[in-house]
Amino acid sequence: MARKVTSKRAASAASKVLRDGRTSKASKTAAGSALSQREKRK
């Protein structure tokens, strides 16, 4: 199975969504999912 990794640009956008208090629960769930697929820093 291929590993899916979120790009740096997408992770940055997801981070902004999570920090913004005006976004919906569905948006935050999707953003959290995208960040969880981001490669860990070494």
Side-chain angles (χ1 to χ4, degrees), residues 14-38:
S15 178
K16 285 182 183 178
V17 167
L18 288 175
R19 285 181 287 168
D20 187 356
R22 298 171 295 173
T23 54
S24 68
K25 186 173 196 253
S27 296
K28 290 187 181 199
T29 300
S33 176
L35 285 177
S36 71
Q37 293 176 23
R38 182 79 177 131

Side-chain angles (χ1 to χ4, degrees), residues 3-15 18 29-42:
R3 249 181 38 188
K4 295 182 180 177
V5 179
T6 303
S7 70
K8 184 176 181 181
R9 189 173 182 182
S12 180
S15 178
L18 288 175
T29 300
S33 176
L35 285 177
S36 71
Q37 293 176 23
R38 182 79 177 131
E39 269 189 351
K40 304 286 186 251
R41 288 186 191 175
K42 293 183 180 178

